[in-house]
Amino acid sequence: MPQSTITLHDKQFTPYLPARQITDAIRELGSRISQDYAGRQPLFVSVLNGSFMFTADLLKEVSVPCEVAFIRVGSYAGTSSTGEVKEIMGLLEDVQGRDLIIVEDIVDTGHTMRALLDLLSAKQPASLAVATLFLKPECLQHELELRYVGLSIPNDFIVGYGLDYDGLGRNYPDVYKAV
C-alpha cells in the first residue's frame, strides 16, 4: 500500500500508480518483446539513471537471450526539461549490426529520445526500437516511433519507481504525482 503523501524537497506528492499496475505493464512489454525478438539476441540500452528499475524488471520478463548496456544522458533541471541533451556516459559496446532496444523510464517532450535515436542510428545497428515505461503524449514535440509503451499518462510530474525530483524519490515502488 503506497504512503498517502510524500514530501521531496519543497514538493508534496500523492499516490498515482500502484506498483501492481506497473508490474502488469512491464510483464506485457516483456511478453511482446520476447515474441518480436524470437530467434534474435537484442542488446538493451538502458538510459540511466531513471530507467534502472524498469530495465531490471523488464529483463526478468524477457525470455530471449539478450544483453544489457547503459548510457547516461541528462536534460532535466528540477521538474522540467532543459531542452538540451548532453551525453554524459557513452556506450562502450559496438552496436553495428545489432538489434538495439533503448529502455527509457519516461518520454515526455521527446528531446532526449530524439537525440538518442540519432546518436545510435549513426552507429548502424541492424534495428533500433524504444521501450518506455511511461509516455506523456500531450508533451511530445518530436515524431517518434515508440514500439513498446507501458503506460500513457497525462502531463503530471511524477516520481517513484526510478523517477526522481532532484535526486530524491527513485526508491519508491509506487509512482506519485506532484500536487
Side-chain angles (χ1 to χ4, degrees), residues 37 40-44 95 97-101 125-128:
Y37 287 85
R40 294 155 71 186
Q41 186 175 314
L43 172 63
F44 288 85
V95 300
R98 301 283 313 267
D99 292 309
L100 304 183
I101 301 172
S127 67
L128 185 55

Side-chain angles (χ1 to χ4, degrees), residues 79-151:
T79 62
S80 60
S81 176
T82 62
E84 180 182 337
V85 176
K86 299 174 184 163
E87 182 179 357
I88 299 169
M89 182 177 73
L91 186 64
L92 301 176
E93 288 75 8
D94 180 10
V95 300
Q96 185 173 356
R98 301 283 313 267
D99 292 309
L100 304 183
I101 301 172
I102 300 171
V103 182
E104 179 66 294
D105 56 351
I106 189 166
V107 174
D108 44 33
T109 63
H111 295 317
T112 301
M113 189 52 60
R114 175 77 274 146
L116 278 174
L117 287 167
D118 293 346
L119 174 77
L120 292 172
S121 290
K123 296 179 182 289
Q124 302 176 332
S127 67
L128 185 55
V130 175
T132 184
L133 182 54
F134 300 111
L135 170 65
K136 293 182 180 181
E138 64 193 64
C139 296
L140 271 178
Q141 297 177 18
H142 299 270
E143 278 198 38
L144 300 171
E145 182 183 337
L146 304 173
R147 189 176 307 165
Y148 306 104
V149 175
L151 298 162

Side-chain angles (χ1 to χ4, degrees), residues 36-93:
D36 291 352
Y37 287 85
R40 294 155 71 186
Q41 186 175 314
L43 172 63
F44 288 85
V45 179
S46 178
V47 182
L48 296 173
N49 285 341
S51 69
F52 75 99
M53 290 177 97
F54 174 42
T55 300
D57 288 344
L58 178 63
L59 291 182
K60 292 174 194 172
E61 300 297 332
V62 172
S63 61
V64 297
C66 61
E67 295 177 59
V68 65
F70 298 90
I71 190 168
R72 185 171 179 180
V73 297
S75 66
Y76 262 75
T79 62
S80 60
S81 176
T82 62
E84 180 182 337
V85 176
K86 299 174 184 163
E87 182 179 357
I88 299 169
M89 182 177 73
L91 186 64
L92 301 176
E93 288 75 8

